[in-house]
Amino acid sequence: MKNQFLIKLTKKMNNRLPGEISHEKMMVKPRYKSLEKKESTSAAVLILLYPIKGKWHFFLTKRTNSVGHHKGQISLPGGALEKGESHKEAAIRETFEELGVQSGDINIIGPLTPLYIPISNFKIFPFVGWLQSTPILNIQPKEVSKVLSPSVFSLMDPKAKKIKDSILMGQKVKIPFFNLKNEVVWGATSMILSEFKMVLKGIV
């Protein structure tokens, strides 16, 4: 049975989502402009909520250096669609493959706003779901080197958002990021979490 948090979250996600406004908050500046290619690869990720001692947490994974894209970065569980698969089905399957969370235990609330990632030519379709209890994980070591378990409250903390100076593709840039569990969460993952954070406003 859903608690009040999940009921309120479901209601908020059924309303108009903040979309690009929230993504913009975590974009690298100056922005690398690129039009979406017709042959972009569809992928899906999942913000999977689960309770620990009455507080809601979610999973982030640190990618290994043997994966095809975004080596060593912090990401949400997810990956590319397989033939004949829906975005939601891909998000659930990938979460099972990476973390060992049983598909039948995952309750999907709904989708967030898709976003296109020029550097990898992926179009990502994010979903939010929940579990009744804390799962026992069976991590895929070829893809996942570490699993993080930040709380929803840590994401909402204004001090979690930071900006650093860096160089990308030979250009000086400012990179917004979330500091979660002492890890730098930036790029597409931070943009997705930025929208989730805006949806959570007023209910956390």
Side-chain angles (χ1 to χ4, degrees):
M1 184 176 178
K2 289 185 181 181
N3 65 12
Q4 285 300 310
F5 168 76
L6 293 174
I7 291 171
K8 290 178 181 178
L9 177 57
T10 302
K11 186 176 180 180
K12 283 286 290 288
M13 289 190 62
N14 284 332
N15 294 329
R16 185 174 180 178
L17 295 169
E20 292 183 3
I21 294 173
S22 57
H23 296 165
E24 181 74 27
K25 293 177 182 293
M26 302 305 291
M27 282 183 179
V28 174
K29 305 291 191 309
R31 183 179 177 183
Y32 173 71
K33 293 184 178 181
S34 177
L35 296 176
E36 182 177 341
K37 299 177 182 179
K38 290 183 180 179
E39 67 275 17
S40 62
T41 301
S42 290
V45 299
L46 180 60
I47 299 174
L48 184 58
L49 300 163
Y50 61 96
I52 300 178
K53 296 180 180 179
K55 294 183 179 180
W56 288 97
H57 292 246
F58 60 97
F59 292 116
L60 291 172
T61 64
K62 189 166 189 175
R63 298 167 67 83
T64 64
N65 289 320
S66 60
V67 294
H69 299 280
H70 310 297
K71 301 177 188 294
Q73 292 186 17
I74 303 298
S75 66
L76 292 158
L81 272 66
E82 293 184 348
K83 188 175 180 180
E85 192 174 45
S86 71
H87 300 117
K88 182 171 75 172
E89 289 168 343
I92 293 172
R93 173 185 54 76
E94 285 283 350
T95 301
F96 168 70
E97 291 178 359
E98 292 182 15
L99 300 179
V101 178
Q102 295 300 313
S103 302
D105 294 336
I106 298 173
N107 304 281
I108 296 295
I109 295 174
L112 291 172
T113 305
L115 69 158
Y116 175 67
I117 309 303
I119 195 166
S120 59
N121 195 31
F122 274 90
K123 188 167 186 178
I124 302 178
F125 293 79
F127 289 82
V128 178
W130 60 279
L131 300 170
Q132 289 276 8
S133 58
T134 304
I136 297 173
L137 301 183
N138 182 18
I139 298 165
Q140 166 54 264
K142 291 183 179 179
E143 296 183 35
V144 179
S145 66
K146 181 180 179 181
V147 177
L148 311 178
S149 179
S151 69
V152 165
F153 289 102
S154 67
L155 175 64
M156 298 303 288
D157 185 352
K159 296 179 181 178
K161 182 183 175 182
K162 301 180 182 296
I163 298 176
K164 66 177 181 178
D165 294 315
S166 188
I167 296 177
L168 286 178
M169 302 176 70
Q171 184 179 22
K172 291 183 179 180
V173 294
K174 291 187 179 296
I175 301 177
F177 68 95
F178 291 116
N179 184 339
L180 297 174
K181 294 288 185 177
N182 294 316
E183 293 281 359
V184 173
V185 184
W186 71 290
T189 302
S190 70
M191 292 163 68
I192 292 166
L193 290 179
S194 178
E195 180 172 39
F196 186 52
K197 182 176 179 177
M198 289 185 72
V199 171
L200 289 171
K201 189 175 181 180
I203 64 175
V204 173

